[in-house]
Amino acid sequence: MVARAFGASSFILADAKDNEVKDAVQKISVSWGGKFDFVMELPWKQVVQEWRRKGRLVAHLTAYGENIETSDVMTRIKAAGKDLLVIVGSQKVPRAFFSPEVSDYNVAVGNQPHSEISALAVFMDRLYDGRELGSEFDDAKLRIVPQKHGKGVAKS
Amino acid sequence: MVARAFGASSFILADAKDNEVKDAVQKISVSWGGKFDFVMELPWKQVVQEWRRKGRLVAHLTAYGENIETSDVMTRIKAAGKDLLVIVGSQKVPRAFFSPEVSDYNVAVGNQPHSEISALAVFMDRLYDGRELGSEFDDAKLRIVPQKHGKGVAKS
């Protein structure tokens, strides 16, 4: 849901299967609009290899990487201007994720421990310079009508 | 952990008790440095009333609020320049959270459903204009040495 809300076009749950999550994400997309693919069960190596073979780039989010605020890593990623696969690990990730054979960039959304999901949100917010949070989703059945105080939802 | 990593000075777990979370957060602070208070079990009404009595401001993060990107809510919060209590609900929040008696601002980190924890991270990243992710934490026993490829931790 974070990937979708922050402007990703698809999500790959690698090396795992979770129909509950898939259903939940698809339900959200039907109600709140937009096109968002959810893929699962592919081995991560295959995903990365196919992605890289097309000349696209990979960014691995990890607290051990180059600091998103104090290094120039974000500038380099934006300057490259290519489609980006963002890898977010759960628990301990394979050592290979850090290697140049897998990740073009290891990006730290701060070098303090916090949460993978927050790292993804902040990374994408900065990648798109915040524009994604103002975008409309096509074919939405439900749409929030922002209010200073209260809750408003429009149906269409 | 997100509140700490993104520059908050303390966290209040209102109307609930969770010693596991408290211990985990305190362990992180001991290892990774900084001063971070973890308070729990206080009723939310009491927390808000005491905070407001001091003339301080409250921001409630909710997808129903003013959009952080397309409205001027962030500009108004920064211009006010006061200490801020950020309310992040879990599941359904009391209707009162939206009222001006509780929340000076209802802020939407995008008007799409995603996650409370990501909303908090992005809100704070924007509140501090990203500076918090470059800051050092005092008295840290462990410190990550950012690397382009690999994992590096320094002990002190």
Side-chain angles (χ1 to χ4, degrees):
Chain A
M1 281 163 63
V2 167
R4 175 187 167 278
F6 283 85
S9 62
S10 56
F11 181 89
I12 300 167
L13 179 65
D15 298 294
K17 181 177 175 176
D18 192 326
N19 282 316
E20 263 184 62
V21 171
K22 184 173 181 169
D23 289 350
V25 170
Q26 288 179 332
K27 267 187 197 165
I28 290 283
S29 291
V30 168
S31 295
W32 297 93
K35 198 182 135 25
F36 186 72
D37 292 327
F38 187 97
V39 179
M40 58 189 184
E41 295 179 87
L42 290 177
W44 72 263
K45 277 190 188 170
Q46 182 189 330
V47 173
V48 168
Q49 278 170 0
E50 288 180 4
W51 186 262
R52 293 182 65 111
R53 202 174 297 139
K54 295 175 186 158
R56 296 168 173 171
L57 296 172
V58 177
H60 171 217
L61 305 188
T62 165
Y64 296 98
E66 295 181 85
N67 190 297
I68 198 172
E69 175 68 15
T70 60
S71 83
D72 65 351
V73 67
M74 211 61 190
T75 311
R76 279 150 46 215
I77 291 174
K78 289 183 187 175
K82 296 194 179 172
D83 282 355
L84 201 63
L85 174 69
V86 182
I87 302 183
V88 186
S90 70
Q91 302 166 332
K92 282 267 177 193
V93 302
R95 191 85 183 189
F97 278 17
F98 294 87
S99 73
E101 288 73 34
V102 171
S103 301
D104 298 286
Y105 312 98
N106 286 284
V107 183
V109 178
N111 298 110
Q112 293 288 326
H114 54 93
S115 93
E116 286 81 10
I117 197 69
S118 291
L120 178 63
V122 170
F123 176 81
M124 295 192 65
D125 191 41
R126 291 188 176 208
L127 181 66
Y128 292 132
D129 294 316
R131 291 184 307 272
E132 82 291 346
L133 291 182
S135 64
E136 297 270 327
F137 284 68
D138 294 336
D139 303 319
K141 290 181 184 167
L142 299 174
R143 207 179 294 272
I144 286 174
V145 184
Q147 303 198 2
K148 287 195 175 181
H149 297 281
K151 296 166 83 165
V153 176
K155 295 184 185 178
S156 59
Chain B
M1 281 162 65
V2 167
R4 174 187 169 279
F6 284 84
S9 61
S10 56
F11 182 90
I12 300 166
L13 179 65
D15 298 295
K17 181 178 176 175
D18 191 327
N19 281 317
E20 263 184 62
V21 171
K22 184 172 182 170
D23 289 350
V25 169
Q26 287 179 332
K27 268 187 197 165
I28 290 282
S29 291
V30 169
S31 296
W32 297 93
K35 199 182 133 27
F36 186 72
D37 291 328
F38 187 97
V39 179
M40 58 189 186
E41 294 179 88
L42 289 177
W44 71 263
K45 277 190 189 172
Q46 182 190 331
V47 173
V48 168
Q49 278 170 0
E50 288 181 5
W51 186 262
R52 293 182 64 112
R53 202 175 296 140
K54 293 174 187 161
R56 297 168 174 173
L57 297 172
V58 177
H60 171 217
L61 304 189
T62 166
Y64 296 98
E66 296 181 84
N67 190 296
I68 197 173
E69 174 69 14
T70 60
S71 83
D72 66 350
V73 67
M74 210 62 189
T75 311
R76 280 150 43 216
I77 290 173
K78 288 182 188 177
K82 296 195 178 172
D83 282 354
L84 201 62
L85 175 69
V86 182
I87 302 183
V88 186
S90 70
Q91 302 166 330
K92 283 266 176 193
V93 303
R95 191 86 185 188
F97 278 16
F98 294 86
S99 73
E101 288 73 34
V102 171
S103 301
D104 298 286
Y105 312 98
N106 287 284
V107 183
V109 178
N111 298 112
Q112 293 289 324
H114 54 94
S115 93
E116 286 80 9
I117 197 70
S118 291
L120 178 63
V122 170
F123 176 82
M124 294 191 66
D125 191 41
R126 291 187 176 210
L127 181 67
Y128 292 132
D129 294 316
R131 291 185 307 271
E132 82 291 347
L133 292 182
S135 64
E136 298 270 326
F137 284 68
D138 294 335
D139 302 320
K141 291 182 184 168
L142 299 174
R143 206 179 297 270
I144 285 174
V145 184
Q147 304 199 0
K148 287 195 176 182
H149 297 282
K151 295 166 84 165
V153 175
K155 295 184 184 178
S156 58

